[in-house]
Amino acid sequence: QVQLVESGGAFVYPGEFLRLSCAASGFPFEHRAMSWIRQRPGKGVEWVATISSGGRDTNYLGSVRGRFIIARDNAKNTLYLEMGTLKAEDTAMYYCTQSPSIEPAGPGTQVTVAS
């Protein structure tokens, strides 16, 4: 049974840093490209970043490139999203998925950026 459990969301001020985690189980994590997606208030789901199975290749949404870093630890079956210089427009529910899916499969973790 595939399980993806996101954590690490919080309320932060603009400019601050946050690291999200996604614990994966029930599938061969080390062989799957993984993505982060988000859903902002009143908006549809938006792709944020993807990392290859081995972690060598990454891609980012233009508005987060240079501020966010997607990473993974295959030994721990865990995906990460390091979010720097956070902005109010980053406020969203964040989910991890098996790429190329953009369908939320876990509970998500809420990130709120506000002053």
Side-chain angles (χ1 to χ4, degrees):
Q1 181 180 356
V2 172
Q3 283 200 320
L4 296 167
V5 181
E6 303 88 350
S7 62
F11 180 101
V12 295
Y13 295 108
E16 290 193 331
F17 171 89
L18 207 56
R19 187 170 86 157
L20 307 183
S21 298
C22 168
S25 62
F27 65 98
F29 179 79
E30 68 274 19
H31 297 308
R32 300 285 167 84
M34 297 292 296
S35 294
W36 285 98
I37 61 174
R38 66 185 181 186
Q39 187 160 24
R40 294 187 283 175
K43 306 285 187 180
V45 172
E46 178 179 51
W47 168 80
V48 176
T50 296
I51 187 168
S52 60
S53 58
R56 178 173 297 182
D57 298 314
T58 56
N59 285 296
Y60 297 94
L61 176 68
S63 61
V64 308
R65 187 176 295 116
R67 299 189 297 120
F68 290 12
I69 296 175
I70 186 171
R72 64 193 297 160
D73 186 335
N74 285 347
K76 296 182 178 179
N77 280 13
T78 303
L79 180 72
Y80 301 101
L81 186 67
E82 298 181 345
M83 311 165 69
T85 317
L86 281 160
K87 304 177 181 180
E89 52 262 43
D90 296 317
T91 293
M93 186 72 82
Y94 285 75
Y95 304 89
C96 61
T97 70
Q98 297 185 60
S99 183
S101 173
I102 57 169
E103 291 289 331
T109 189
Q110 177 68 40
V111 174
T112 302
V113 186
S115 54

